[in-house]
Amino acid sequence: VLRTTDLTTPALVVDADVLEANLAAMARRWPSATLRPHVKAHKTTALAHRQAAHGHPGFTCATIREVEGMAVAGLGTDLLLANEVLDTRRLGALVEDGARVTVAVDSPETVAAAADGGVREVLVDVNVGLPRCGIAPAEAGALADAARARGLSVRGVMGYEGHLQALPDLAERTRLTESAMALLLAAHADVGGEIVSGGGTGTSAVNTWVTEMQAGSYALMDSAYTAAGVGYGQALHVLGTVVSVSPPRGEMPGYAVADVGLKALGMDHGNPTIPGRGQVWFCSDEHVTFGPDGPVRVGERVLVVPAHIDPTVALHERMHLVRGDEVLETWPVDLRGW
Ligand SMILES: Cc1ncc(COP(=O)(O)O)c(C=O)c1O
């Protein structure tokens, strides 16, 4: 039996039972095709297979590489690339091989690329307030007409309210999500098609306007979403080893250092946490320095919670599914890269 104590650190460890509870809870709220789980958060086809086992036939991807990997893994029933891309020949090749691939478009250029690359189905991506991709709502209908004129099938619209996901005030998150989705529904009236796709973990409990929810982080979770109170369990930790301990000296309080640094953590949402063990002071390339809550010794293992799951996972080659200190399975993070 492989134990977590045998693992080289830093290492991603996923609590099997918390993961399963998260997948089940989201599937209860958004059953079957009403959830299109986003794989960008975990980039792992083995985990996507677990989500498929909860009854979700389709998936959301952020990169062409993710779409390719999902198709190769036998999960190509209905893949949405919820992102603008121009290198569409790679997607057309997957369609030719029997995968169903739908791509987001928000410009004449991305429509032309989809048609030229052999993709047959698109969603019109609508800007609902996040300054990123998406066409202005009033222009969505004309873009849909242009796509149909190029022989593409327009399945509907998508609009991602990413700027609202982690608003701590639930009432405000709900109110602003309603306004964002009003923009999306207005565009949908002009575009047509069956699908209104959007949402994420932070709005999954309040967005009642989409026909399919694109949540991804809920499976593994991070401290930023926990702080926003979205109600899923922390399934993923970065397992680290305490490599140095310094007792209090004069004015300087005692501290400890573990081997989970910037190069093992996505840091754009702030410092990680080490619940129950201490307060994080700061991270450097290969280190996290923390003020311990109690005695710590060199060689001890610590469980570090990243503040942002997606960029954390993308830094690691594998994740270990664990129960207690037993390693049940090791999964390659096989959707990394572009
Ligand atoms: C287009 C799109 N949809 C859905 C999501 C899923 O969000 P989350 O991981 O917060 O559930 C993201 C994440 O950034 C996204 O970019």
Side-chain angles (χ1 to χ4, degrees):
V1 183
L2 190 65
R3 304 272 168 204
T4 55
T5 43
D6 301 324
L7 299 175
T8 300
T9 58
L12 296 183
V13 292
V14 177
D15 184 305
D17 299 323
V18 178
L19 171 68
E20 200 49 35
N22 288 347
L23 300 188
M26 189 62 91
R28 273 195 300 277
R29 194 181 279 276
W30 295 94
S32 186
T34 65
L35 185 73
R36 186 185 282 281
H38 208 318
V39 302
K40 70 190 276 283
H42 57 69
K43 285 188 176 284
T44 300
T45 54
L47 204 163
H49 275 294
R50 298 270 171 132
Q51 292 172 306
H54 279 270
H56 314 299
F59 286 87
T60 311
C61 300
T63 65
I64 296 173
R65 170 80 197 104
E66 288 172 4
V67 179
E68 288 174 338
M70 290 291 286
V72 167
L75 293 164
T77 307
D78 189 355
L79 298 172
L80 168 63
L81 180 47
N83 199 1
E84 276 60 20
V85 293
L86 295 164
D87 185 12
T88 46
R89 288 157 307 147
R90 291 166 62 197
L91 299 176
L94 298 174
V95 173
E96 205 138 281
D97 286 348
R100 184 173 192 187
V101 178
T102 302
V103 68
V105 292
D106 72 353
S107 65
E109 291 84 354
T110 45
V111 165
D116 294 344
V119 180
R120 300 189 193 118
E121 299 177 286
V122 297
L123 285 188
V124 174
D125 189 358
V126 179
N127 186 317
V128 295
L130 173 70
R132 207 171 68 180
C133 298
I135 195 167
E139 295 165 22
L143 191 68
D145 293 342
R148 291 191 178 103
R150 286 296 315 259
L152 295 164
S153 163
V154 179
R155 295 182 71 190
V157 293
M158 67 157 273
Y160 177 54
E161 70 282 26
H163 55 307
L164 308 178
Q165 294 299 324
L167 284 183
D169 181 341
L170 187 62
E172 194 191 6
R173 204 188 312 159
T174 308
R175 185 174 59 77
L176 294 178
T177 298
E178 179 168 13
S179 311
M181 292 301 109
L183 298 174
L184 187 58
L185 294 179
H188 183 232
D190 294 341
V191 168
E194 311 258 284
I195 293 179
V196 179
S197 194
T201 300
T203 57
S204 59
V206 301
N207 189 331
T208 53
W209 299 276
V210 291
T211 62
E212 55 174 53
M213 166 56 56
Q214 298 181 356
S217 298
Y218 76 98
L220 298 177
M221 284 294 288
D222 57 37
S223 64
Y225 262 142
T226 296
V230 300
Y232 291 88
Q234 189 58 47
L236 179 133
H237 292 89
V238 187
L239 180 70
T241 304
V242 175
V243 294
S244 183
V245 175
S246 291
R249 284 189 200 101
E251 300 281 282
M252 179 67 108
Y255 60 88
V257 180
D259 60 353
V260 182
L262 298 172
K263 292 179 178 174
L265 288 165
M267 292 286 293
D268 61 310
H269 289 174
N271 278 336
T273 56
I274 313 182
R277 297 309 308 274
Q279 300 301 316
V280 170
W281 288 10
F282 67 97
C283 290
S284 42
D285 281 353
E286 299 293 355
H287 306 107
V288 55
T289 297
F290 64 100
D293 291 342
V296 194
R297 38 172 198 80
V298 171
E300 246 180 78
R301 295 290 170 109
V302 289
L303 291 170
V304 177
V305 179
H308 195 183
I309 187 72
D310 312 59
T312 299
V313 168
L315 294 168
H316 293 260
E317 290 172 20
R318 58 191 72 82
M319 60 177 71
H320 306 280
L321 189 71
V322 305
R323 180 171 290 122
D325 72 346
E326 188 179 337
V327 178
L328 305 174
E329 287 178 43
T330 296
W331 295 338
V333 182
D334 53 348
L335 300 176
R336 300 194 317 156
W338 290 268

